[in-house]
Amino acid sequence: MKLAYNIALRFLKASKGQTFLIALGIAIGVSVQIFIGSLIQGLQIDLVDTTIGSQSQITITSQSEEKLIDDYQPLLEQVAESDSLLQHITPVAQGQALMSYDEENYSVLVRGLDFDTADGIYKLSDRLVDGDMATGDMEVMIGLDLSEEAGIAVGDDISFLTNVGQPQTAKVAGVFDLEVANLNKSWIISSIDTAQSLFSYDDRISSVEMQLSDVFAADVVAEQLQSVLGDELLVNNWKAENAALLSGLNGQSISSYMIQVFVMISVLLGIASVLAITVIQKSRQIGILKAMGIRDSAASLIFLFQGLLLGIAGAILGILLGVGLAFAFTKFAVDPDGAPIIALYINPAFIALSAVFAITVSTLASLIPARKSSKLNPIEVIRNG
Amino acid sequence: MANVIELKKVNKEYGTQIKTKVLFDIDLAVEAGSFNSIIGQSGSGKSTLLNIVGTLDQPTEGEVLINGKRTDKMNKNELASLRNETLGFIFQFHYLLPEFTALENVLMPYRIQYGKVPKETLERANELMDLVGLEKVKNNLASNMSGGQQQRTAIARALMNSPKIILADEPTGNLDSDTSETIYNLLRDINQKLGTTFVIITHDRRIAEKADRIIEIKDGRIGLDI
Ligand SMILES: Nc1ncnc2c1ncn2[C@@H]1O[C@H](COP(=O)(O)OP(=O)(O)O)[C@@H](O)[C@H]1O
Ligand SMILES: [Mg+2]
């Protein structure tokens, strides 16, 4: 075992140029794998983040006739304790209303939020472009698009017609920009109390919203939550509502795997053919060792170790190259303002997997020369000088 | 004295389509501790015979016994062990491992058998290097030594596992006559000191005459045996 390893190491050292070239071949395969993988994972994370990063990922609503949730404090606590992945759990009181200003009517969704907890989801404090948060009684914030379209400014009074019947007046405290035109046009955000009095909800809310630290666990967590909460409440998750996005991501992942598999197959073929040649180069040495009584199994181990060592060297070199390439990419492929066009996702587990894969592949590639070495008959070498 | 090598009706044919018979009914016994030389014209079958004795090649018919054991009944691993422990080879073309130093080449048979090299063994290898007069160049790579130095390294290597039998095929075939003389004297010394059995192929009659026994191979048969 140890001798075979030592001989393998010595053979590799004796032909440094050749060893370096094979290791470089493996390294290029590994680095392409790491680079493409990091790029695609970065793209996916970016896409998921822009799509669902600033919205509720699991939403609890009521199944009752009025669609309202009574006595919600215990529910918030129960949800918080149910799963450690859950975060930014926040109550929401919302309803459809007709907003009028300057004799024009606009159909809007009034969303009453608990600003402290909702900020984790909607980042309102960062997205306020004018005025202040609507913390006071009968104060609201409107979206940038609505503000421009209707000519409403901070400090203006607007009136709402809701299910209550009587028009009610509220003051515009601030203007937000959620970077989605549709929401900027139709959302009006207030405190929970304001929304509750606009719609006469008393102390009830319409939903509980939350996010997860692992967005892809949403379906599993939602299902567990549903079974804990019983069927008076309905638990929805983003995955159920975004099938198209999910299948897009899946397609991307599959094409990324395909590229990686083919890169590795070409590396495998390259190593196998080079190692096959080294067996012929070293047949004299193998013959001498066999005449001295080395066993066939040890003779084949020499080449397995060569494959393993080349794989390890190639993997290390490939990680350095791949991470360097990724780093250079985020450094040089940038917007005018210096932010990378695509933020690559450097995933250590994925890099480790690529490395293990490359090492396995190059060890497998050395099986063919190992077999040849095992079968070599010393007399062929001794007879032919 | 017991026979360490015994050949019974050994025949050897080469080729499958066109068969050429090289050895014919060879019967031969070699006593333990003896110093034997094999002579004969080029192509008479000397190397074939020696390779069969060394279990590197197999006879087409007949039996080979080493230490009284039939080699045709042994599996590949048993043959490997036999070659490693009981036999030492010295070939005409030195056959060192060029990637290793002279000393490492000498240690190789030991490492094949036992793996790790203890201090006493390293000392023994160094003594063998002294014995063949290579103390100064023992840490050179095998590929950086002269022909005579390589051949002496091969001799030290053949002695490493203290084999009972050393088989040598024209060990001085491509060395000058002074170096040849030194190497034969060295082999004779080892034979007398350690009692190692030698079977040496040589084309040099002067050297052959110094052996205990001369076996002449003629067209695949034993001609003279004195
Ligand atoms: N692999 C082989 N195939 C066919 N013929 C062979 C082979 N090896 C040796 N021979 C033939 O066998 C005969 C004996 O060869 P060898 O034992 O090498 O003779 P020597 O060592 O006495 O010169 C020669 O005629 C040679 O051509
Ligand atoms: Mg010959």
Side-chain angles (χ1 to χ4, degrees), chain B residues 173-190:
Chain B
N174 50 6
L175 300 179
D176 62 73
S177 55
D178 278 356
T179 318
S180 303
E181 187 81 33
T182 330
I183 285 181
Y184 274 107
N185 291 337
L186 179 64
L187 296 180
R188 196 74 232 218
D189 263 12
I190 293 161

mmCIF file of all heavy atoms in Angstrom, chain B residues 173-190:
data_model
loop_
_atom_site.group_PDB
_atom_site.id
_atom_site.type_symbol
_atom_site.label_atom_id
_atom_site.label_comp_id
_atom_site.label_asym_id
_atom_site.label_seq_id
_atom_site.Cartn_x
_atom_site.Cartn_y
_atom_site.Cartn_z
ATOM 1 N N GLY B 173 27.953 -8.501 -19.448
ATOM 2 C CA GLY B 173 27.924 -8.538 -20.913
ATOM 3 C C GLY B 173 28.325 -7.253 -21.578
ATOM 4 O O GLY B 173 28.998 -7.274 -22.605
ATOM 5 N N ASN B 174 27.943 -6.122 -21.022
ATOM 6 C CA ASN B 174 28.335 -4.876 -21.687
ATOM 7 C C ASN B 174 29.267 -4.027 -20.814
ATOM 8 O O ASN B 174 29.165 -2.817 -20.780
ATOM 9 C CB ASN B 174 27.105 -4.090 -22.150
ATOM 10 C CG ASN B 174 26.107 -3.939 -21.025
ATOM 11 O OD1 ASN B 174 26.393 -4.321 -19.881
ATOM 12 N ND2 ASN B 174 24.957 -3.392 -21.323
ATOM 13 N N LEU B 175 30.143 -4.723 -20.063
ATOM 14 C CA LEU B 175 31.131 -4.001 -19.258
ATOM 15 C C LEU B 175 32.524 -4.355 -19.767
ATOM 16 O O LEU B 175 32.728 -5.402 -20.380
ATOM 17 C CB LEU B 175 31.006 -4.399 -17.786
ATOM 18 C CG LEU B 175 29.654 -4.124 -17.110
ATOM 19 C CD1 LEU B 175 29.684 -4.606 -15.677
ATOM 20 C CD2 LEU B 175 29.297 -2.653 -17.180
ATOM 21 N N ASP B 176 33.503 -3.472 -19.478
ATOM 22 C CA ASP B 176 34.870 -3.783 -19.922
ATOM 23 C C ASP B 176 35.442 -4.922 -19.090
ATOM 24 O O ASP B 176 34.912 -5.273 -18.038
ATOM 25 C CB ASP B 176 35.746 -2.531 -19.844
ATOM 26 C CG ASP B 176 35.864 -2.033 -18.428
ATOM 27 O OD1 ASP B 176 36.577 -2.675 -17.632
ATOM 28 O OD2 ASP B 176 35.212 -0.999 -18.109
ATOM 29 N N SER B 177 36.551 -5.530 -19.555
ATOM 30 C CA SER B 177 37.004 -6.786 -18.957
ATOM 31 C C SER B 177 37.523 -6.608 -17.533
ATOM 32 O O SER B 177 37.352 -7.498 -16.699
ATOM 33 C CB SER B 177 38.083 -7.444 -19.825
ATOM 34 O OG SER B 177 39.131 -6.525 -20.046
ATOM 35 N N ASP B 178 38.108 -5.434 -17.198
ATOM 36 C CA ASP B 178 38.551 -5.193 -15.820
ATOM 37 C C ASP B 178 37.369 -5.177 -14.867
ATOM 38 O O ASP B 178 37.376 -5.835 -13.821
ATOM 39 C CB ASP B 178 39.280 -3.843 -15.716
ATOM 40 C CG ASP B 178 40.726 -3.972 -16.147
ATOM 41 O OD1 ASP B 178 41.133 -5.133 -16.443
ATOM 42 O OD2 ASP B 178 41.429 -2.951 -16.203
ATOM 43 N N THR B 179 36.328 -4.432 -15.257
ATOM 44 C CA THR B 179 35.140 -4.347 -14.415
ATOM 45 C C THR B 179 34.507 -5.729 -14.289
ATOM 46 O O THR B 179 34.066 -6.122 -13.204
ATOM 47 C CB THR B 179 34.139 -3.347 -15.019
ATOM 48 O OG1 THR B 179 34.865 -2.212 -15.488
ATOM 49 C CG2 THR B 179 33.121 -2.890 -14.000
ATOM 50 N N SER B 180 34.469 -6.484 -15.394
ATOM 51 C CA SER B 180 33.913 -7.829 -15.380
ATOM 52 C C SER B 180 34.620 -8.686 -14.341
ATOM 53 O O SER B 180 33.989 -9.360 -13.524
ATOM 54 C CB SER B 180 34.076 -8.510 -16.729
ATOM 55 O OG SER B 180 33.475 -7.740 -17.715
ATOM 56 N N GLU B 181 35.932 -8.634 -14.383
ATOM 57 C CA GLU B 181 36.770 -9.409 -13.460
ATOM 58 C C GLU B 181 36.406 -9.080 -12.011
ATOM 59 O O GLU B 181 36.141 -9.977 -11.205
ATOM 60 C CB GLU B 181 38.235 -9.031 -13.730
ATOM 61 C CG GLU B 181 39.259 -9.860 -12.987
ATOM 62 C CD GLU B 181 39.517 -11.211 -13.675
ATOM 63 O OE1 GLU B 181 39.436 -11.257 -14.924
ATOM 64 O OE2 GLU B 181 39.770 -12.196 -12.955
ATOM 65 N N THR B 182 36.328 -7.769 -11.701
ATOM 66 C CA THR B 182 35.992 -7.335 -10.339
ATOM 67 C C THR B 182 34.630 -7.885 -9.935
ATOM 68 O O THR B 182 34.443 -8.379 -8.809
ATOM 69 C CB THR B 182 35.924 -5.795 -10.257
ATOM 70 O OG1 THR B 182 36.821 -5.255 -11.215
ATOM 71 C CG2 THR B 182 36.232 -5.300 -8.869
ATOM 72 N N ILE B 183 33.686 -7.802 -10.854
ATOM 73 C CA ILE B 183 32.326 -8.215 -10.494
ATOM 74 C C ILE B 183 32.266 -9.719 -10.259
ATOM 75 O O ILE B 183 31.643 -10.193 -9.297
ATOM 76 C CB ILE B 183 31.333 -7.731 -11.565
ATOM 77 C CG1 ILE B 183 31.135 -6.221 -11.356
ATOM 78 C CG2 ILE B 183 30.008 -8.473 -11.473
ATOM 79 C CD1 ILE B 183 30.176 -5.556 -12.280
ATOM 80 N N TYR B 184 32.975 -10.504 -11.076
ATOM 81 C CA TYR B 184 32.987 -11.961 -10.845
ATOM 82 C C TYR B 184 33.633 -12.314 -9.524
ATOM 83 O O TYR B 184 33.135 -13.167 -8.784
ATOM 84 C CB TYR B 184 33.659 -12.694 -12.003
ATOM 85 C CG TYR B 184 32.664 -12.966 -13.085
ATOM 86 C CD1 TYR B 184 32.676 -12.261 -14.273
ATOM 87 C CD2 TYR B 184 31.665 -13.928 -12.888
ATOM 88 C CE1 TYR B 184 31.735 -12.477 -15.244
ATOM 89 C CE2 TYR B 184 30.717 -14.154 -13.852
ATOM 90 C CZ TYR B 184 30.756 -13.435 -15.035
ATOM 91 O OH TYR B 184 29.813 -13.663 -15.974
ATOM 92 N N ASN B 185 34.727 -11.635 -9.238
ATOM 93 C CA ASN B 185 35.373 -11.887 -7.951
ATOM 94 C C ASN B 185 34.427 -11.575 -6.801
ATOM 95 O O ASN B 185 34.374 -12.306 -5.806
ATOM 96 C CB ASN B 185 36.650 -11.068 -7.828
ATOM 97 C CG ASN B 185 37.721 -11.562 -8.790
ATOM 98 O OD1 ASN B 185 37.681 -12.720 -9.226
ATOM 99 N ND2 ASN B 185 38.651 -10.686 -9.153
ATOM 100 N N LEU B 186 33.663 -10.505 -6.972
ATOM 101 C CA LEU B 186 32.681 -10.106 -5.963
ATOM 102 C C LEU B 186 31.627 -11.194 -5.778
ATOM 103 O O LEU B 186 31.303 -11.599 -4.647
ATOM 104 C CB LEU B 186 32.031 -8.798 -6.424
ATOM 105 C CG LEU B 186 30.958 -8.190 -5.536
ATOM 106 C CD1 LEU B 186 31.564 -7.799 -4.198
ATOM 107 C CD2 LEU B 186 30.373 -6.954 -6.222
ATOM 108 N N LEU B 187 31.112 -11.714 -6.898
ATOM 109 C CA LEU B 187 30.083 -12.750 -6.816
ATOM 110 C C LEU B 187 30.641 -14.013 -6.151
ATOM 111 O O LEU B 187 29.998 -14.647 -5.313
ATOM 112 C CB LEU B 187 29.545 -13.076 -8.215
ATOM 113 C CG LEU B 187 28.825 -11.923 -8.930
ATOM 114 C CD1 LEU B 187 28.332 -12.375 -10.307
ATOM 115 C CD2 LEU B 187 27.664 -11.400 -8.096
ATOM 116 N N ARG B 188 31.854 -14.355 -6.517
ATOM 117 C CA ARG B 188 32.504 -15.544 -5.953
ATOM 118 C C ARG B 188 32.675 -15.384 -4.443
ATOM 119 O O ARG B 188 32.416 -16.313 -3.679
ATOM 120 C CB ARG B 188 33.874 -15.696 -6.643
ATOM 121 C CG ARG B 188 34.551 -17.035 -6.501
ATOM 122 C CD ARG B 188 33.877 -18.079 -7.360
ATOM 123 N NE ARG B 188 33.566 -19.225 -6.523
ATOM 124 C CZ ARG B 188 33.670 -20.494 -6.914
ATOM 125 N NH1 ARG B 188 34.061 -20.800 -8.124
ATOM 126 N NH2 ARG B 188 33.360 -21.479 -6.097
ATOM 127 N N ASP B 189 33.068 -14.178 -4.038
ATOM 128 C CA ASP B 189 33.215 -13.853 -2.613
ATOM 129 C C ASP B 189 31.920 -14.078 -1.856
ATOM 130 O O ASP B 189 31.881 -14.690 -0.790
ATOM 131 C CB ASP B 189 33.557 -12.358 -2.456
ATOM 132 C CG ASP B 189 35.034 -12.147 -2.290
ATOM 133 O OD1 ASP B 189 35.780 -13.123 -2.529
ATOM 134 O OD2 ASP B 189 35.429 -11.014 -1.943
ATOM 135 N N ILE B 190 30.839 -13.531 -2.433
ATOM 136 C CA ILE B 190 29.529 -13.637 -1.787
ATOM 137 C C ILE B 190 29.146 -15.092 -1.662
ATOM 138 O O ILE B 190 28.633 -15.547 -0.633
ATOM 139 C CB ILE B 190 28.479 -12.846 -2.597
ATOM 140 C CG1 ILE B 190 28.782 -11.347 -2.522
ATOM 141 C CG2 ILE B 190 27.067 -13.125 -2.115
ATOM 142 C CD1 ILE B 190 28.121 -10.523 -3.603
#
